[in-house]
Amino acid sequence: MFDLTATRTALTNVIALWPLLADAVGARPAGDWPPAMGISRLREPDEAGDGRPGDVRPLPISVDVFDAMTEITERLVDLADRIAADTQRPAMSHAPRTAGWPAADRERRDQLADADAADPRRWRYTGQRSAPAAAQWLAHRLSAKPGGPFAPLALQHLHQIQRAAETAADRIETLLRIARRTTATGRTHDGCGGDLMVSGGDGTDPAIDCDACGRRWTLDTTAAA
Ligand SMILES: [Zn+2]
């Protein structure tokens, strides 16, 4: 059964979480991630520690995350393509050049045709073919007064949107949990040669984990004060 509220929530989550995921895996210039203070201020809380593994084992960042983001994008864009093909009215045609239209009428008709083609509510088959753009367009199709050059959605469209939106939102949330704790620092642990991974970005204090021995370094807030 179609659940409008759940579908809208899933689409909203896709739109809101996608930039965070892109940031976390470095797909675009990061804002607050990786931590702006750099890793030089991260140190071991107890320099005499025994080096036992921290509570969180860092997961290796992987091309799998990018592959998954590509899959999510393709699925949402493909659904928008298909729903647009089913429901989006073609743009109004320009004035016929052969008919004996008065120049003023022809100009007016051409202006209307151009405005119709440029209607920002239309799904574009080129440019901006991203997961959040598709989610935003699908969300607009579900709004109470959708308007625009569209036929109403059929029940099958509603089910397709719900399925795609919930799947995408779930996958993004899972990827985000993985990606935000697995950004490589590009440095190695002097002690064991393992790669140092910075974690955080989810509202918790950032930390560094060695992916070989599991040793953990956390933000030294006393030194920062
Ligand atoms: Zn190590």
Side-chain angles (χ1 to χ4, degrees):
M1 186 171 160
F2 177 64
D3 184 331
L4 178 61
T5 303
T7 306
R8 280 181 175 155
T9 299
L11 290 170
T12 300
N13 286 344
V14 170
I15 295 162
L17 296 178
W18 190 264
L20 302 180
L21 182 58
D23 278 351
V25 300
R28 68 176 205 181
D32 295 325
W33 182 254
M37 84 289 283
I39 65 168
S40 61
R41 279 172 47 198
L42 295 164
R43 69 174 185 86
E44 291 178 275
D46 178 7
E47 297 292 350
D50 57 12
R52 66 186 163 78
D55 294 329
V56 179
R57 286 291 299 169
L59 301 170
I61 194 162
S62 162
V63 72
D64 290 349
V65 176
F66 292 100
D67 286 349
M69 290 176 76
T70 301
E71 278 180 30
I72 292 166
T73 299
E74 285 175 353
R75 175 133 192 239
L76 287 171
V77 166
D78 179 64
L79 180 60
D81 280 349
R82 284 187 285 123
I83 290 182
D86 284 353
T87 65
Q88 184 164 285
R89 176 175 56 70
M92 182 190 298
S93 61
H94 287 84
R97 295 290 171 246
T98 51
W101 285 36
D105 288 356
R106 197 163 58 222
E107 190 178 335
R108 169 97 181 117
R109 170 61 181 246
D110 287 349
Q111 283 172 356
L112 287 173
D114 289 344
D116 186 33
D119 190 324
R121 293 169 297 188
R122 288 185 178 279
W123 174 244
R124 306 285 163 193
Y125 294 95
T126 58
Q128 302 218 331
R129 292 170 67 79
S130 68
Q136 186 69 69
W137 186 80
L138 293 168
H140 282 156
R141 300 279 66 71
L142 293 176
S143 65
K145 294 180 180 175
F150 306 103
L153 295 173
L155 187 58
Q156 64 168 18
H157 296 139
L158 301 177
H159 285 297
Q160 289 165 355
I161 294 171
Q162 177 168 3
R163 201 156 51 238
E166 290 184 337
T167 301
D170 285 350
R171 290 191 71 185
I172 290 169
E173 285 168 12
T174 300
L175 290 169
L176 201 50
R177 278 196 295 278
I178 295 170
R180 69 188 166 198
R181 65 172 59 154
T182 58
T183 303
T185 62
R187 301 194 191 187
T188 54
H189 179 199
D190 288 342
C192 79
D195 291 324
L196 295 178
M197 313 293 288
V198 63
S199 64
D202 54 356
T204 62
D205 287 340
I208 299 282
D209 290 283
C210 174
D211 76 349
C213 70
R215 191 149 194 181
R216 161 163 280 212
W217 295 259
T218 52
L219 183 64
D220 181 3
T221 50
T222 54

